[in-house]
Amino acid sequence: MTTSARGLRKTVLAAALAAVTAAVAAPPPGAAAAGTDGTGLPLPRFVSLRSEQVNLRTGPGVRYPIDWVYLRRDLPVEVVQEFETWRKIRDPEGAEGWVHQSMLSGRRTVITLNGTHPLRRDPSEAAATVALVEPGVQANLIQCPQTTDFCRVEVQGRHGWLKREEFWGVYRGEHID
């Protein structure tokens, strides 16, 4: 084989490899964008991780590499896109990637934000403090009445009320009965 034929062959192989890489990295055709979906459920929406170990992938399928491994069951995440049985999620820190739907639960949880927050007995600034909640603590979401800026949560067996601005996992104006 001549030097020019080898060079042409390398160029063709490099172009083919680049095309395959671009096809794998591109969003899949038919992936539902925010506001639309294939399940009939709204996008975006909050859910939580079902398992102690959940792989976050760069695309919707096992052929895509694992970008991150979550080791925190019940972590609240936001579903922002759907493709077949795969869900693109966003975590509380803003990282995004794809997980299989079987790794998600409809159970609503929240995670507290910066600073220590009082868990109150009633949905009022004047209510007695039941406990102080550190940043990064997960809580089960019980209720978010439409008439208040507080949501009722359960934190490690203690029930109380946190202000919506003190945690991540509920949309502004969202009410949960």
Side-chain angles (χ1 to χ4, degrees), residues 14-128:
L17 180 59
V20 168
T21 302
V24 168
T36 64
D37 62 50
T39 61
L41 298 173
L43 287 176
R45 68 179 177 276
F46 283 107
V47 296
S48 59
L49 299 182
R50 183 182 303 266
S51 178
E52 289 292 333
Q53 185 173 340
V54 176
N55 296 331
L56 184 75
R57 295 182 177 273
T58 60
V62 293
R63 72 176 192 259
Y64 291 91
I66 296 169
D67 195 30
W68 190 259
V69 178
Y70 291 104
L71 301 173
R72 198 165 182 183
R73 181 185 181 137
D74 296 327
L75 179 72
V77 294
E78 184 179 28
V79 176
V80 295
Q81 195 173 353
E82 296 181 340
F83 178 71
E84 295 176 356
T85 59
W86 292 87
R87 305 295 177 257
K88 186 173 187 182
I89 63 166
R90 180 181 303 126
D91 71 18
E93 295 179 4
E96 291 187 0
W98 294 84
V99 300
H100 192 268
Q101 68 181 7
S102 66
M103 295 289 102
L104 300 174
S105 168
R107 182 173 178 219
R108 296 290 297 269
T109 62
V110 297
I111 188 165
T112 55
L113 300 173
N114 301 329
T116 301
H117 307 289
L119 182 65
R120 300 188 183 279
R121 184 177 317 257
D122 297 304
S124 164
E125 294 274 354

Side-chain angles (χ1 to χ4, degrees), residues 110 112 116-125 127-134 137-140 142 150-163 166-167:
V110 297
T112 55
T116 301
H117 307 289
L119 182 65
R120 300 188 183 279
R121 184 177 317 257
D122 297 304
S124 164
E125 294 274 354
T129 299
V130 175
L132 294 175
V133 183
E134 298 289 325
V137 170
Q138 286 175 206
N140 294 318
I142 299 170
F150 288 83
C151 291
R152 188 162 188 249
V153 299
E154 182 263 323
V155 181
Q156 299 172 352
R158 294 182 184 251
H159 292 259
W161 297 82
L162 287 173
K163 289 185 81 171
E166 298 171 338
F167 60 84

Side-chain angles (χ1 to χ4, degrees), residues 8-18:
L8 179 60
R9 189 176 200 179
K10 285 181 183 177
T11 303
V12 169
L13 284 173
L17 180 59

